Amino acid sequence: MRAMIPAVALLTLAAACGSGGEQAAAPAGPATLRMSIWTANEDHLKLFNEIAAGYTKAKVTFESIPIDSYTTTLTTQIAGGKAPDLAWILEGSAPDFVESGALAPLTSKIQNVGELVPAATRLWQKDGELYAYPFSTSPFGVFVNTDLLREAGRKVPAKGWTWQEAMDAASAVAAKGKAGLVVGDWDYKNWTNLASLWEGWGAEAWSDDGTTCGFNQPPMVEAMTFLHKSIFTAKALPGPGTTVDFYSGDAAMIITQISRAGLLKDATFDWTLLPLPHGPAGEYSVIGQAGIGVIKKSPNAEVATDFLGYFTNPENSAKLARFFPPARSSLLNVDTLATSNPLLKPEQLQAVVIDGIPNGVVKPSHKGQEELIQTGRAALDALWQPGADPKTVLDGVCAKIQPLLGS
């Protein structure tokens, strides 16, 4: 079987192949732009097509690629000369795309670029130039099934709650037969989503410059020890191999982003949304992000950047805010977000989104993220056992990923 080529290698190859000659000539007549996305949600697609219909310089089509194979498919297309004109980019892939030179510069095409929140653009910039627009900047929060908490004799928590309070409440619900706390989209595999917990201890997967593993440092050891005890001693989280659907009323809490609020439209239980609990390091926010970039080698790159400026202008960003929290300071207010998110109360939007975005820490990202994710996951598997010693396991994680951080 042929070994999989890392995404960073494919992007670097594609950028290098395009650096020695002219960009391919654009076809005659109005351009047809193709934009790769990972959603197939009908409401999302309807909104995208409605916005695109107002753009008169090109026809735009949206190509949905399954999330599980999204980055691999996209980078393979780029390296093979079949790249889309525009593409969504996951936060974990941002360093590969930005550093490789695969993306066209955007700063001059973005309307009112100065109002973009610095915390939201940091990941997508290089040498002062913006290479992808942070169209979805979504802080993690905790949806809480307040009915289950009351049935377990627990008070409904409020802003300023702590991780210990959260786990105690989750454990009480689990003792009554339902699940406690679910970490959305983790499933003991995608460990980057655990940043929503470990940032409460001030822990980090690697240093800010990306060169040093942080898994075996005291803050991470303390956070993962807390998580391990919460799973295997307090039974506050479903164990490995257990699937629980919060939205059907089967769990007390779920850590996720506000875009999932729509799944609660027909909920048969009372619920609320809270910011992440405070940890020993105090109050914090963790952001999941996606950017939209223009593939530099596209023969339609010029019109694609123009369309991206249109797609993300203040008016259209307000429409997109229904599903994708905006990075524009002018839109980070209760009136705009309440109109776009009718299921959420103004105080919930203020506490989780408006207060969370400016000071949020983006989920871990690094060059060669794909290999780091898989290597880290394999090394962390030993932690998800009742008798595991967190420090020993985390030392093993660093032994595995440290060589990748320096490559």
Side-chain angles (χ1 to χ4, degrees), residues 142-146 149-150 154-162 165-166 169-170 252-253 272-275 277:
V142 184
F143 286 98
V144 179
N145 182 326
T146 55
L149 261 62
R150 293 189 183 99
R154 295 284 170 166
K155 294 181 179 180
V156 176
K159 181 182 178 181
W161 62 327
T162 67
E165 291 171 337
M253 311 171 199
T272 190
L273 172 66
L274 294 172

Side-chain angles (χ1 to χ4, degrees), residues 45 76 106 108 122 137 190 216 262 266 289 376:
L45 293 173
T76 301
L106 300 175
S108 64
R122 190 173 298 120
T137 300
N190 185 5
N216 61 356
D266 299 317
Q289 258 197 332

Side-chain angles (χ1 to χ4, degrees), residues 159-221:
K159 181 182 178 181
W161 62 327
T162 67
W163 270 113
Q164 189 61 61
E165 291 171 337
M167 293 303 185
D168 287 346
S171 180
V173 171
K176 291 287 188 178
K178 293 285 188 177
L181 171 73
V182 176
V183 181
D185 300 316
W186 169 38
D187 195 28
Y188 293 86
K189 296 174 184 176
N190 185 5
W191 52 265
T192 62
N193 282 338
L194 292 178
S196 58
L197 181 144
W198 76 48
E199 285 288 346
W201 279 254
E204 55 186 6
W206 38 73
S207 57
D208 287 342
D209 63 7
T211 62
T212 305
C213 179
F215 274 96
N216 61 356
Q217 298 303 303
M220 184 68 82
V221 174

Side-chain angles (χ1 to χ4, degrees), residues 6 19 25 30 41 48 71 83 95 111 130 169 192 198 206 212 223 234 297 321 328-329 356 366 406:
S19 62
N41 181 288
F48 297 160
T71 298
Q111 294 187 28
L130 187 68
T192 62
W198 76 48
W206 38 73
T212 305
K297 290 180 62 179
R328 292 184 177 276
S329 57
H366 199 285

